[in-house]
């Protein structure tokens, strides 16, 4: 029987790259995203059985509909990848976009993490990968305040779950991918240009899948970002926030 993976946010960027690499490894896939046309085009191009599941995970009812569709199916890997960001002064960014970001980056991830982890526990194994960000490893992100806060939530939730599973000697694996800049459509949606060179989506996904095989809990692709994340723990909080603020201003050309 083919291994089965579910990927949210699969229509572009990291989600589409996860689909390509997992299909090449012999996984059957369920591809979840809002854009049906992109999902169908991707599924048609992959050398593996693929189902498309159009859904807007900002809606709780759509998260529940996805979970219902997965009842009774064995899930080997679930990738919580759907999410987006925004950049700008917190007092000036759009509240509705902030709330939509919370719905996708936090609420949907929370719902799916809890329910899928429960499914994996009942079936006796499997892996859950939440896509966070290196932003979630920092104390805050001036000029991307809401986005950094959502990714800190994802990192905290995932690492806590992973520790609980370890304490229970559970066969279920929970991990969080925390990349720095990745060359995807993220920039356009977030209204930014990266201040640092980005890694390719292909490299990021290879690192993520290798980290899962090594049973890492927090996976940080690329030695430069990994070193930066480690160094950040040694800096005073105020200094780190000021450094982060300068980087975010550069993204806006300020």
């Amino acid at each position: 029987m083919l291994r089965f993976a579910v990927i949210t946010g699969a229509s572009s960027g990291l989600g589409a790259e996860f689909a390509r690499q997992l299909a090449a490894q012999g996984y059957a896939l369920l591809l979840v995203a809002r854009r049906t046309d992109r999902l169908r085009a991707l599924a048609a191009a992959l050398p593996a059985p693929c189902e498309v599941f159009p859904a807007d995970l900002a809606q709780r009812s759509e998260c529940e509909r996805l979970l219902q569709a997965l009842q009774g199916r064995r899930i080997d890997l679930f990738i919580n990848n759907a999410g987006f960001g925004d950049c700008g002064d917190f007092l000036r960014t759009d509240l509705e976009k902030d709330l939509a970001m919370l719905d996708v980056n936090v609420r949907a991830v929370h719902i799916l993490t809890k329910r899928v982890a429960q499914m994996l526990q009942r079936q006796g194994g499997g892996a859950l990968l939440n896509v966070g960000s290196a932003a979630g490893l920092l104390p805050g992100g001036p000029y991307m305040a809401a986005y950094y806060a959502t990714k800190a939530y994802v990192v905290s939730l995932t690492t806590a779950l992973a520790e609980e599973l370890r304490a229970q000697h559970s066969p279920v694996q929970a991990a969080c991918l925390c990349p720095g800049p990745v060359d995807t459509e993220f920039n356009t949606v977030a209204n930014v240009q990266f201040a640092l060179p980005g890694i390719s989506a292909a490299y990021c996904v290879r690192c993520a899948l290798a980290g899962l095989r090594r049973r890492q809990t927090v996976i940080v692709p690329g030695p430069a970002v990994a070193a930066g994340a480690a160094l950040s723990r040694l800096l005073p909080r105020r200094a780190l926030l000021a450094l982060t603020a300068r980087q975010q201003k550069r993204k806006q050309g300020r």
Side-chain angles (χ1 to χ4, degrees):
M1 180 181 294
L2 292 176
R3 291 172 294 176
F4 177 54
V6 182
I7 306 167
T8 72
S11 60
S12 64
L14 286 178
E17 185 59 34
F18 270 113
R20 284 188 283 268
Q21 293 194 28
L22 289 172
Q25 293 180 22
Y27 279 81
L29 303 174
L30 180 70
L31 307 176
V32 184
R34 291 179 302 164
R35 294 176 287 191
T36 306
D37 55 340
R38 287 202 178 191
L39 289 179
R40 288 176 176 163
L42 176 62
L46 295 176
C50 294
E51 302 167 61
V52 301
F53 193 94
D56 180 2
L57 298 180
Q59 308 300 319
R60 178 173 179 174
S61 60
E62 292 287 87
C63 294
E64 299 292 351
R65 187 169 65 87
L66 171 60
L67 292 165
Q68 186 61 39
L70 294 172
Q71 291 296 320
R73 303 186 69 170
R74 179 174 179 85
I75 304 167
D76 296 287
L77 175 59
F78 190 101
I79 301 176
N80 250 331
N81 171 70
F84 68 94
D86 194 21
C87 191
D89 296 22
F90 182 73
L91 298 184
R92 296 179 182 176
T93 49
D94 182 65
L95 176 60
E96 293 307 313
K97 190 171 184 180
D98 285 352
L99 295 178
M101 194 191 314
L102 290 171
D103 285 338
V104 178
N105 293 15
V106 173
R107 188 172 68 169
V109 169
H110 186 107
I111 291 169
L112 295 174
T113 294
K114 182 177 285 286
R115 294 304 185 207
V116 170
Q118 290 170 339
M119 290 179 183
L120 299 182
Q121 188 85 316
R122 286 195 296 270
Q123 73 182 20
L128 169 72
L129 178 66
N130 287 337
V131 177
S133 168
L137 303 174
L138 299 173
Y143 308 106
M144 288 189 79
Y147 175 74
Y148 272 59
T150 66
K151 292 305 182 180
Y153 186 96
V154 173
V155 173
S156 181
L157 178 72
T158 310
T159 54
L161 172 61
E163 183 57 32
E164 290 180 16
L165 293 170
R166 273 193 292 269
Q168 298 164 18
H169 305 289
S170 171
V172 176
Q173 180 183 4
C176 189
L177 174 63
C178 294
V182 183
D183 294 327
T184 67
E185 293 180 2
F186 177 92
N187 284 17
T188 302
V189 177
N191 301 313
V192 301
Q193 292 296 321
F194 286 135
L196 299 172
I199 60 175
S200 71
Y203 174 75
C204 184
V205 169
R206 285 197 301 273
C207 290
L209 297 178
L212 282 174
R213 289 192 295 271
R214 292 193 295 268
R215 300 193 70 85
Q216 290 178 249
T217 297
V218 177
I219 304 166
V220 184
V225 174
L231 179 61
S232 70
R233 294 193 288 270
L234 304 177
L235 293 175
R237 186 181 185 91
R238 181 66 182 274
L240 189 56
L241 284 168
L243 178 62
T244 305
R246 284 198 295 273
Q247 290 296 108
Q248 304 307 342
K249 284 183 177 180
R250 289 177 59 194
K251 291 180 182 180
Q252 302 171 75
R254 293 163 61 178

